[in-house]
Amino acid sequence: MAKTARATKPKPWAEAATHLVDVAMGRRPADLVIRNGRWVNVHSGEIIAGADIAVAGGRFAYCGPNAGHAIGQGTKVVDAGGRYLVPGLCDAHMHVESGMVTVTEFCRAVIPHGTTSMFIDPHEIANVLGLPGVRLMHDEAVAMPINVLVQMPSCVPSAPGLEHAGAELTVADVTEAMAWQNIIGLGEVMNFPGVAANDPVMAGEIAATVRAGKTVGGHYASRDLGLPFHGYVAGGPEDDHEGTRAEDAIARVRQGMKAMLRLGSAWYDVASQIKAVTESGLDPRNFILCTDDSHSGTLVHEGHMDRVVRHAISQGLKPVTAIQMATLNTAQHFRLERELGSIAPGRLADLLIVSDLAAMTIDEVYARGVRLAKGGKLDIDIPAYDYPKTAKNTVKLGKKLKPGDFDIIAPIGANEVRVRVIGVIENQAPTRALEADLPVEDGLVAMDRRNDVCQIALVERHRGTGGVTNAFVSGFGYMTDCAMASSVAHDAHHIIVVGTSKQDMALAVNRLGEVGGGVVLFSKGKELALVEMPIAGLMSDERAEIVAAKADKLTEAMRQMGCSLNNAYMQHSLLALVVIPELRISDVGLIDVTTFQKVDLFV
């Protein structure tokens, strides 16, 4: 039976140093010695054969050619058999909620894949529950057997005036959170026009973070590298994960930022940007790998940071360089080089035994000197974290939706109308601002399934107003009567429903009201797939593998409806993200994110 893992925080290096010295000198025995490994040294960029690693009190005490002097009667000895000894992997920027599961379940899913440090931004729950929601995830993170550091969400709502979230965070909230034990910095500052315009809220939050000596996360989601970009950098953000081109990565690094290259479930931005290193020759120590958003199915079936490192290697990086981007570079960026990110004396004993470096075949995972996984399976169990009732029952529709709520009335006398259409871009977060000519039937604008134009609606769910915003979207390829609704709708997290049948749209939205949130797909009046997410309408309280199985069923049902997009659910969930160009939907209306203005549906 798997042993239960509880958070055991090693003593600070300053308090543990004398014991580490004794172990390194052979005066006291180590707790663990791993022998005969190939030490992947991310400080020197070398792979050192015949290395031994000694661990004491959850920290590395000795790293060198022979740790025999540190072996005593109670020392556990592991023979690496010539395999690689790799630092535990770090995810520099991610949202746990995107995995559809809690922090606990996310950790259970990713530990076998070698992730031992995560820098999470609980921005999603903050938009629903505010500061108390952030505190819930902060406290859950503290209880984990790996390092889960929290970035305080910066933009709630993400675009004031263009959406209404379920909560609002202030400069005072950010200042308060900077004193919490597990807050590592400020989460992605998405309001980039606000920073460039010296918005007092943005300037105040960044100043509070800098005064606390912590890292300011960036999010510059624009292709404009002119004065707005320069103004944004001058405002204080220290990294950015929103680049999609090599020139984006180059511009950020030249300005002293860290370029974060993401490979999430639906965001494939590493291959294009890594050319800044492989072709333009920029210093790789200023590049960091991350996932941003990983679907539960991706975590269970494909991996986490091991997947990102593997992909980066496939794009031409040396394995050691790719590993640096997922370990030491991350630790240095968050001012944690003396704690994380390398196999070196004094650091937390987070280590992977890897049999194939390029393929990132992870045989064993250690965190704080304790083996947590072997052969892709957890060695331990992590107790479930109990979320209070206040974190549930957050979907408030105010009424039962009817098909007529999704009617779009055409201008009087029109037989055809030209409308704005949100265009989905596969494997990228931005959308295109498209236009389409649609027929009018009985005074209502009709969808055009043959040309892949179906309906999208946003249903207000925080205050029970019953408000519905209707528009059109292209890119999902639905070929039959259907609708998919989700209470995960970055960033304000109202309900988004996309469909070709108004009846199914109403059924789908009402179903989410019944179960307290999640994602559901209906076709011709029948429920085909459902993933319940009762915690803030964002996360399931079930095991990760159960959620992944339900998500797989959803993905298959979408394919049956004609959708061939890679990870289409992730694309669906970002259609209300009014801080990434070009066209989005919110409870305010249709938003042009190149001008940050509401625009009319009709052209």
Side-chain angles (χ1 to χ4, degrees):
M1 184 175 179
K3 58 184 180 292
T4 299
R6 302 185 186 279
T8 54
K9 201 73 171 176
K11 290 180 181 179
W13 191 347
E15 296 178 18
T18 55
H19 181 62
L20 297 176
V21 170
D22 283 342
V23 173
M25 294 296 294
R27 292 190 290 260
R28 300 185 69 177
D31 301 324
L32 168 71
V33 169
I34 300 177
R35 311 206 71 176
N36 188 27
R38 297 183 191 180
W39 176 17
V40 178
N41 192 310
V42 290
H43 290 285
S44 64
E46 301 171 280
I47 298 175
I48 304 167
D52 287 2
I53 306 296
V55 175
R59 293 182 180 274
F60 295 118
Y62 171 89
C63 308
N66 187 345
H69 61 283
I71 298 174
Q73 188 172 359
T75 304
K76 180 179 180 180
V77 179
V78 174
D79 184 1
R83 291 173 293 174
Y84 298 92
L85 307 180
V86 177
L89 303 179
C90 308
D91 191 344
H93 173 73
M94 53 164 286
H95 305 280
V96 165
E97 302 97 316
S98 293
M100 302 177 166
V101 294
T102 62
V103 176
T104 301
E105 288 306 310
F106 203 103
C107 289
R108 286 186 70 255
V110 303
I111 287 171
H113 293 289
T115 301
T116 60
S117 296
M118 305 191 303
F119 295 80
I120 73 171
D121 180 354
H123 177 88
E124 318 310 339
I125 200 169
N127 271 273
V128 180
L129 298 175
L131 193 61
V134 177
R135 186 76 211 204
L136 283 171
M137 292 188 72
H138 170 278
D139 292 351
E140 184 181 10
V142 171
M144 295 299 103
I146 61 172
N147 314 303
V148 184
L149 294 309
V150 181
Q151 294 179 283
M152 176 62 186
S154 62
C155 300
V156 179
S158 62
L162 297 180
E163 65 178 1
H164 299 96
E168 182 177 352
L169 294 181
T170 65
V171 175
D173 292 329
V174 170
T175 303
E176 175 189 334
M178 286 300 145
W180 297 355
Q181 71 177 97
N182 211 36
I183 293 290
I184 196 65
L186 189 66
E188 51 184 324
V189 180
M190 293 179 287
N191 186 359
F192 54 90
V195 175
N198 275 329
D199 174 82
V201 174
M202 292 295 93
E205 291 183 359
I206 292 171
T209 305
V210 173
R211 281 194 293 267
K214 299 183 178 181
T215 304
V216 179
H219 174 116
Y220 184 79
S222 172
R223 297 169 73 88
D224 183 356
L225 298 175
L227 290 182
F229 170 68
H230 288 273
Y232 181 75
V233 178
E238 299 173 71
D239 59 58
D240 191 21
H241 57 274
E242 286 297 332
T244 58
R245 307 166 298 174
E247 54 261 46
D248 295 329
I250 291 169
R252 285 150 175 80
V253 168
R254 285 177 175 169
Q255 295 294 317
M257 301 177 86
K258 294 295 189 292
M260 287 189 175
L261 315 185
R262 65 182 170 187
L263 179 73
S265 293
W267 328 133
Y268 284 52
D269 299 321
V270 174
S272 57
Q273 293 188 90
I274 205 63
K275 292 176 181 178
V277 174
T278 57
E279 296 182 5
S280 298
L282 269 64
D283 188 343
R285 295 298 289 273
N286 294 307
F287 292 76
I288 294 172
L289 298 175
C290 68
T291 65
D292 198 359
D293 299 293
S294 290
H295 184 267
S296 58
T298 303
L299 300 177
V300 171
H301 302 311
E302 298 179 45
H304 189 230
M305 285 305 298
D306 59 329
R307 171 177 175 260
V308 185
V309 172
R310 192 180 303 121
H311 175 70
I313 293 169
S314 75
Q315 298 305 312
L317 282 183
K318 294 179 181 178
V320 174
T321 304
I323 291 167
Q324 283 175 329
M325 291 182 182
T327 56
L328 182 60
N329 294 9
T330 304
Q332 290 177 329
H333 178 58
F334 287 102
R335 301 163 174 83
L336 290 173
E337 182 183 350
R338 288 177 64 86
E339 286 291 297
L340 309 174
S342 67
I343 299 172
R347 278 68 172 183
L348 293 175
D350 302 336
L351 172 148
L352 316 177
I353 299 179
V354 174
S355 52
D356 185 327
L357 201 60
M360 283 304 292
T361 305
I362 299 170
D363 298 337
E364 298 184 36
V365 179
Y366 291 80
R368 304 171 189 173
V370 177
R371 195 178 75 186
L372 301 185
K374 182 178 181 180
K377 302 292 184 182
L378 278 175
D379 260 359
I380 48 90
D381 190 28
I382 309 172
Y385 189 81
D386 188 24
Y387 275 77
K389 290 182 180 179
T390 53
K392 301 177 182 179
N393 301 314
T394 62
V395 176
K396 304 176 179 69
L397 299 179
K399 66 179 183 181
K400 189 170 184 178
L401 276 291
K402 299 177 181 178
D405 290 313
F406 305 104
D407 287 345
I408 298 177
I409 300 173
I412 296 174
N415 294 317
E416 185 179 81
V417 292
R418 172 155 285 215
V419 299
R420 291 182 170 87
V421 178
I422 301 170
V424 172
I425 304 174
E426 187 168 23
N427 292 330
Q428 287 194 6
T431 64
R432 293 190 180 94
L434 306 177
E435 295 180 3
D437 294 317
L438 298 181
V440 175
E441 300 172 1
D442 299 324
L444 301 178
V445 183
M447 293 173 254
D448 187 358
R449 192 182 301 173
R450 289 177 301 175
N451 290 306
D452 192 19
V453 178
C454 61
Q455 199 160 326
I456 179 173
L458 184 141
V459 181
E460 199 281 328
R461 69 104 158 175
H462 296 303
R463 297 171 181 84
T465 65
V468 179
T469 302
N470 286 300
F472 294 96
V473 67
S474 177
F476 287 101
Y478 293 133
M479 300 299 293
T480 187
D481 289 353
C482 65
M484 190 173 88
S486 170
S487 57
V488 177
H490 306 269
D491 276 328
H493 296 293
H494 295 291
I495 289 177
I496 284 183
V497 57
V498 172
T500 57
S501 159
K502 295 176 185 178
Q503 179 186 8
D504 287 328
M505 292 172 75
L507 288 170
V509 173
N510 291 332
R511 183 67 168 132
L512 294 187
E514 293 171 4
V515 300
V519 56
V520 66
L521 178 63
F522 272 80
S523 178
K524 299 178 181 178
K526 181 181 178 183
E527 182 182 299
L528 300 186
L530 170 67
V531 184
E532 305 93 329
M533 300 186 217
I535 301 172
L538 302 172
M539 296 178 286
S540 172
D541 52 7
E542 295 185 295
R543 290 278 181 166
E545 54 269 27
I546 295 173
V547 178
K550 291 182 177 182
D552 288 346
K553 185 176 180 181
L554 174 73
T555 300
E556 180 55 33
M558 293 179 76
R559 287 198 189 100
Q560 291 174 7
M561 297 300 103
C563 181
S564 60
L565 281 176
N566 173 55
N567 228 304
Y569 161 74
M570 300 293 282
Q571 306 277 177
H572 177 110
S573 69
L574 257 65
L575 293 172
L577 188 51
V578 292
V579 292
I580 297 184
E582 295 177 341
L583 193 62
R584 305 280 167 171
I585 191 171
S586 86
D587 61 311
V588 170
L590 202 57
I591 307 298
D592 181 336
V593 191
T594 60
T595 62
F596 286 91
Q597 292 181 341
K598 176 183 175 182
V599 293
D600 196 77
L601 175 63
F602 299 108
V603 179

